[in-house]
Amino acid sequence: EGDFMGCIGDLAWYCVRMGLLVFSDLNADALRLGLVKEVQVVNCELNDEGVPIDADCMVYFSDKRVLSIHCSFKHPLNQTVNIFGTGSEYTATITDVILPRKGEHLEISLSKQHLIEYDQICCQEGKVLQASNAHVQEVCMWHNFAKWAQKIDEESSQAAADVENEKWWGGSSDEVKAANDIASYSLHTQIVLDGLMVSIQKGGVRIPL
């Protein structure tokens, strides 16, 4: 309510952020080297106020990698992400990518398919990876934020920022680097979302970034 970006600014935000993290290999420096090439909304439904409520989006990365997003305020709750690629043995599936389930562990399902009986029958193999869910996300967020803010206060007065290269705060500690990185991911997430909104306004064309 009150967000003109609708499902693009809400549900798609998380998908875009994950795409940036995955395709940059958690290296924020890659964001400034043309990681995202183009964006496009290939199908979209707007409400009476012109706000997107259902959209199919494409984000085109370097090396012909693609993030495909479907976000909707109309469909049943679904926060599933599939990650796969050429030459990869498994497809990774995460079904609680935004809001985690309760429990000490979260699960990432890995599956692969192959054909038998003269390629007439499909078989699937799978395994499950577990990740710790021992700490509440919001607690971790505020804990890290406090550490970063303290180091920024300590170091930024003695080291200059370099905004052109997305070094928003001066300093050499791991905490200041982490703060600079997460700020860059937030900036580039918003750049992608803005491009998707422009694509809607222009009838679904590809928008170079």
Side-chain angles (χ1 to χ4, degrees):
E1 183 176 352
D3 184 356
F4 73 96
M5 286 188 166
C7 62
I8 299 291
D10 186 345
L11 306 172
W13 186 97
Y14 298 95
C15 299
V16 169
R17 174 60 64 88
M18 173 164 279
L20 293 175
L21 291 168
V22 170
F23 289 135
S24 70
D25 198 21
L26 303 181
N27 178 12
D29 291 336
L31 300 174
R32 297 188 296 276
L33 301 177
L35 180 67
V36 180
K37 299 300 184 181
E38 296 177 308
V39 299
Q40 182 181 22
V41 177
V42 296
N43 186 55
C44 183
E45 180 179 344
L46 308 178
N47 66 9
D48 293 338
E49 287 73 37
V51 175
I53 58 174
D54 187 276
D56 292 292
C57 311
M58 308 293 285
V59 183
Y60 302 96
F61 290 80
S62 59
D63 299 324
K64 298 182 179 180
R65 296 170 295 178
V66 179
L67 170 66
S68 174
I69 304 167
H70 177 248
C71 54
S72 178
F73 288 155
K74 298 176 60 180
H75 295 174
L77 176 63
N78 184 348
Q79 49 174 350
T80 300
V81 166
N82 293 312
I83 303 173
F84 54 89
T86 302
S88 61
E89 186 177 6
Y90 289 91
T91 294
T93 301
I94 308 171
T95 59
D96 56 349
V97 70
I98 300 172
L99 299 174
R101 296 188 179 90
K102 288 185 176 180
E104 295 183 357
H105 296 93
L106 303 177
E107 294 185 349
I108 301 174
S109 299
L110 301 180
S111 63
K112 64 177 179 179
Q113 297 181 349
H114 62 274
L115 302 176
I116 62 173
E117 301 291 339
Y118 303 103
D119 294 345
Q120 298 299 308
I121 297 176
C122 181
C123 295
Q124 179 167 303
E125 302 175 22
K127 56 184 178 181
V128 175
L129 303 180
Q130 289 189 333
S132 174
N133 191 36
H135 304 289
V136 178
Q137 285 185 350
E138 289 82 359
V139 174
C140 295
M141 179 185 70
W142 285 111
H143 178 69
N144 286 327
F145 179 81
K147 289 195 304 180
W148 299 346
Q150 181 179 359
K151 284 295 184 180
I152 288 171
D153 286 343
E154 293 174 358
E155 299 181 20
S156 61
S157 61
Q158 302 174 8
D162 183 4
V163 175
E164 184 176 347
N165 291 306
E166 297 184 15
K167 304 302 180 186
W168 312 104
W169 300 281
S172 58
S173 66
D174 291 341
E175 289 81 4
V176 173
K177 183 181 185 304
N180 280 318
D181 286 352
I182 199 67
S184 289
Y185 278 108
S186 295
L187 171 64
H188 287 270
T189 299
Q190 191 60 49
I191 289 173
V192 170
L193 297 181
D194 289 343
L196 292 172
M197 293 300 292
V198 172
S199 179
I200 292 175
Q201 295 166 7
K202 294 188 175 183
V205 300
R206 288 195 184 196
I207 303 298
L209 297 185

